[in-house]
Amino acid sequence: MVLAGASDRAELASGPLAHIVTFTDELFRSDGTMRDVYPVLAVVASPAAAVEVEAAIKALARLATIPAPPVLRIDRDVDGVAALIQTVLESGLGRISNYARTMATELVMLRRERETLFENFRVLEDAFRARNWEPASEIFAHDVFVDPKDEGIGRLMTDGWVEQLLPVSSFGVSGFALHFRNLTRGGGEVVVTLDYVENGEGVAEWVVPFSDLAADWNFFSLPKACDGSPRTLRLRISANGSEPPAPSLGHPIASHRYAARARSPHGDLDHRPLAIKIYSGIPGVRPTALPNSIAPSSLISGRRIEDYRLPLEALRAVADVSVSPIVPDFQTIRFLEHEDAIVCHPLPAGISAGAVANVVAPGTVRFSARAVIDHAEGKPALVGFLLAPSAANLRSEIAILEREGTARRSAYFSGWRDVAAGEPVSINIMLDSPTQRTMNLVVLSRAKGDSVDFCWLKVFDFRMVRHFDVEPRGEALHVQ
């Protein structure tokens, strides 16, 4: 609170003012800014110190926030006058000066915050005026950055999944757009799921045939905007098919957290996000700049999504449960070790079947696989899948299916699909309701024509999706 010249340091540093005095050479930092002091009074004990104090007062006047302190000379009786000054400063005047100094600092901070708030408000106002006529407004975008070296992204979707965190709060999100390139004419489907990171609760799922996608931005709409407490959204893309369309990537970013990632590492995903646009506004309404709008195939509110594969140990233990009057002289059901596939060779009569025990978990709602006749001269065949309870007699279930064409009410039959040589087909089955208990998976095959020559039917890429209820965790409940 007391300002003194550096020349008086020897006289004042050992006196009663030592703990409240600031010398002129300590008033400013090396960068020219003032230290956290508020001089109420200046004291001078020598002519040299008077010159130093006068220069310091002129420097304070340039700040225009601290009034010039009065100067008191104490060249005689330094200790006596210093004790009197200390008594005055440590009384109410000292408390008032401390309060005034704190208040001045707070006012400066408030002024800066007010200017920042006004600037943000002007930016928001300009954005609102620019978009207030659109039913859906873009709130975030990773622009497309096509690199000629981008390869294998589509393969990542068939081998597993590609995942992207949305770098915005979920509150108010009504849809998003993905950019696809290299569209193919082959059969297959792209499966897109949206869920919350905090508790794994699903939001929606889109199952889109390749033919419904545009070689541009594709808008995935929600029937209602995300509400409740703001959370983190996670997008996961997978595909069924030999040559799925590849999603485009955006420009490299610095954050690993918001870069796309896959089940298996891939160099093109290093610090690259998916090209994505995120929208808020009226749910279910397509933004005017996008060519199409895709509605969800199912809503998963309050449930968790889990995408799982059949374990290799279970596939290796595939059992022959065929029902046929023909006894072949070769093995019709077996596991291909290096391809993680099951071979199910049909016979001229009856049904060839391979059972994988207790691999369908409770809550499974979707099953997918790929099948192909793995021989250039192989005759066409029919393939199907049967989900049967663990305690069921599988041969009896298959016999009923062959005789009546339908399975029992306790089991689920996918129906027959045509398979030809060298043309892999994707089989995607959506159950009417989630399974209530663990079930067996049975791969079925039968002849389509009169001949089954070289009809080595190979089934692979078994994938399951199950939903199960989750409890809210760490979220505010909004009760009207």
Side-chain angles (χ1 to χ4, degrees), residues 335-350:
F335 173 70
L336 292 181
E337 184 66 41
H338 299 292
E339 300 186 42
D340 300 341
I342 292 177
V343 170
C344 188
H345 196 296
L347 297 173

Side-chain angles (χ1 to χ4, degrees), residues 74-112:
I74 54 173
D75 50 350
R76 301 184 183 89
D77 190 14
V78 173
D79 291 340
V81 178
L84 178 61
I85 293 174
Q86 180 183 6
T87 302
V88 173
L89 292 177
E90 291 180 349
S91 63
L93 179 61
R95 291 192 296 272
I96 291 174
S97 64
N98 287 334
Y99 178 78
R101 180 178 58 183
T102 303
M103 185 172 61
T105 303
E106 293 291 337
L107 287 174
V108 172
M109 294 177 61
L110 288 174
R111 181 179 179 181
R112 292 174 181 172

Side-chain angles (χ1 to χ4, degrees), residues 218-445:
N218 297 264
F219 180 65
F220 294 80
S221 65
L222 288 170
K224 70 175 215 175
C226 298
D227 53 7
S229 58
R231 290 174 285 185
T232 306
L233 286 171
R234 172 173 50 202
L235 187 69
R236 181 171 289 181
I237 311 174
S238 58
N240 302 313
S242 57
E243 296 181 5
S248 300
L249 297 177
H251 293 264
I253 58 177
S255 174
H256 269 299
R257 178 175 178 83
Y258 293 108
R261 69 186 188 96
R263 182 184 292 271
S264 55
H266 194 277
D268 291 337
L269 296 185
D270 186 25
H271 285 195
R272 297 278 299 280
L274 291 177
I276 190 172
K277 294 182 178 181
I278 305 172
Y279 293 86
S280 65
I282 302 176
V285 177
R286 174 178 59 88
T288 55
L290 301 186
N292 63 350
S293 180
I294 304 170
S297 303
S298 62
L299 299 177
I300 324 172
S301 177
R303 289 169 289 170
R304 185 175 179 179
I305 310 170
E306 182 181 355
D307 188 342
Y308 66 100
R309 305 295 192 277
L310 299 188
L312 293 182
E313 293 76 12
L315 293 177
R316 289 191 183 99
V318 60
D320 189 346
V321 291
S322 302
V323 176
S324 175
I326 301 174
V327 179
D329 56 358
F330 59 92
Q331 188 178 4
T332 58
I333 305 295
R334 62 190 179 94
F335 173 70
L336 292 181
E337 184 66 41
H338 299 292
E339 300 186 42
D340 300 341
I342 292 177
V343 170
C344 188
H345 196 296
L347 297 173
I351 296 177
S352 298
V356 185
N358 300 325
V359 292
V360 182
T364 298
V365 297
R366 185 163 52 83
F367 164 76
S368 64
R370 298 174 66 196
V372 66
I373 302 296
D374 198 21
H375 195 284
E377 300 179 9
K379 300 300 181 181
L382 299 175
V383 65
F385 298 95
L386 179 70
L387 303 184
S390 299
N393 186 322
L394 296 181
R395 292 184 187 274
S396 175
E397 296 280 349
I398 298 171
I400 293 174
L401 176 63
E402 182 186 17
R403 184 173 61 251
E404 301 181 3
T406 58
R408 290 177 176 173
R409 296 183 60 184
S410 59
Y412 179 85
F413 175 54
S414 66
W416 297 105
R417 293 284 301 273
D418 293 345
V419 185
E423 298 179 5
V425 297
S426 296
I427 304 169
N428 191 31
I429 303 167
M430 184 70 70
L431 304 184
D432 296 333
S433 60
T435 57
Q436 301 299 318
R437 51 189 172 179
T438 303
M439 304 185 77
N440 300 321
L441 171 64
V442 185
V443 180
L444 309 171
S445 69

